[in-house]
Amino acid sequence: MPATDPAKDPQLARWQRFRNSRNAALASEHGWLTLTSFQWLEDRPSAVELAPGLWSTDGTAARLTAAAPEGLTLVETGEPVDGTVSAELADEESLMWVQYGGDDGRQVVVELAMRAGKYAIRTRDSQSPVFTGFDGVPTFDFRPDLVIEARFVPYPEPVDVPIGTANPLVDGIHRSVGELVFRLPGSEHEFRLQAEEEKLGALTVTFHDETNGESTDEWRKVSTAKPRPDGTVVLDFNRAINYPSAFTPYGTCPMPVKNNSLDYRITAGEKEPGLF
């Protein structure tokens, strides 16, 4: 059998299981591939695109006014919206709020979101062509030489770094907890990427590299397990994935911090999906 046969290469087999899980997650009902709009709410009741009812915000709460025949129901309870309902969110929070359409009344889910201190809605349509036509994210072939051992150097305290996002009207914050320090094959110098901490001490780095805009999206991210007691961690660029903004123009995904740019071609992980 060839050396690249998963039966002979446990590392490759683990990567293929990761890819299967990743594609299954993207194909979930009303997931990122179903986004069809992003709209800021106004301060007076107004119609919006792709959803019935009148929508507004007073800055503290979002409000929706609709009549029962319009077919809107609350996602959480299934109760029809007949009159005015309201919801409050903190910044960066989201709520799958109401739904409508289709044979079961659930074809479209309207997500309420608070971004940059303002309320917005996003429609998620299970009949979106991006969703119905999805058959997996294109990737580079597995590169065992881009499974790197890195050293995590924590900061004394987390540092909040202002960043941009995929939406020019939404600013973001990157809470840097330290740096991953490593070398890449064929490169003569050391690389340092600022990392954020996720659940259970895992780390995520958002980065640019020299494949961006050519074979990959404008930026990607890769996550690691919690660093070992000696500070080392496996940084596997084969697990570099796209943010939702690679699949939809309606994302508000965080850009990399200024220094997270690699002068290197990371020909591993997910490629540009080219879906819109």
Side-chain angles (χ1 to χ4, degrees):
M1 290 185 179
T4 55
D5 189 327
K8 294 291 187 179
D9 188 342
Q11 192 177 54
L12 177 61
R14 287 193 295 272
W15 178 69
Q16 291 185 337
R17 289 195 295 271
F18 168 80
R19 291 303 322 155
N20 290 339
S21 296
R22 164 69 171 162
N23 286 326
L26 281 171
S28 63
E29 185 180 28
H30 297 121
W32 292 114
L33 301 184
T34 66
L35 289 181
T36 52
S37 74
F38 179 99
Q39 303 169 75
W40 298 108
L41 297 188
E42 299 181 5
D43 59 5
R44 64 184 63 185
S46 305
V48 299
E49 296 181 4
L50 306 180
L54 297 175
W55 304 72
S56 64
T57 177
D58 61 3
T60 300
R63 291 185 172 82
L64 164 62
T65 300
E70 292 179 277
L72 286 162
T73 61
L74 296 172
V75 170
E76 185 175 358
T77 64
E79 295 177 11
V81 178
D82 190 9
T84 299
V85 293
S86 64
E88 294 185 21
L89 300 176
D91 200 31
E92 294 302 315
E93 285 187 338
S94 292
L95 170 69
M96 298 302 183
W97 196 13
V98 295
Q99 58 197 355
Y100 68 94
D103 293 339
D104 60 359
R106 297 179 60 251
Q107 177 180 323
V108 180
V109 166
V110 184
E111 170 196 4
L112 179 67
M114 171 75 88
R115 298 292 184 270
K118 298 185 295 183
Y119 280 102
I121 60 166
R122 289 193 285 209
T123 49
R124 295 174 177 251
D125 189 341
S126 60
Q127 295 304 306
S128 163
V130 174
F131 177 65
T132 58
F134 178 69
D135 61 358
V137 187
T139 68
F140 293 98
D141 291 338
F142 183 77
R143 289 273 306 269
D145 60 329
L146 288 178
V147 181
I148 307 297
E149 183 167 281
R151 178 175 87 256
F152 177 57
V153 181
Y155 295 149
E157 297 290 339
V159 178
D160 287 344
V161 182
I163 56 171
T165 73
N167 186 317
L169 299 178
V170 177
D171 293 327
I173 293 291
H174 183 283
R175 174 154 288 189
S176 299
V177 296
E179 297 177 353
L180 288 176
V181 183
F182 56 94
R183 291 186 179 274
L184 290 168
S187 178
E188 297 180 354
H189 62 88
E190 201 169 57
F191 296 92
R192 307 179 77 94
L193 293 178
Q194 293 183 45
E196 288 188 293
E197 188 174 66
E198 307 295 345
K199 294 179 180 179
L200 304 177
L203 300 173
T204 294
V205 290
T206 302
F207 66 95
H208 293 294
D209 74 90
E210 292 186 349
T211 66
N212 295 164
E214 178 191 293
S215 52
T216 62
D217 195 46
E218 294 302 319
W219 64 89
R220 294 179 288 170
K221 68 176 178 177
V222 62
S223 298
T224 76
K226 180 180 179 179
R228 305 179 184 109
D230 65 358
T232 59
V233 66
V234 174
L235 182 60
D236 184 355
F237 283 103
N238 295 283
R239 298 193 179 209
I241 63 172
N242 294 316
Y243 273 97
S245 54
F247 303 95
T248 170
Y250 307 116
T252 58
C253 304
M255 292 180 175
V257 296
K258 182 178 179 181
N259 295 328
N260 276 19
S261 294
L262 302 175
D263 56 343
Y264 193 93
R265 293 178 58 79
I266 301 291
T267 52
E270 292 186 350
K271 295 182 177 180
E272 165 64 57
L275 294 175
F276 70 93

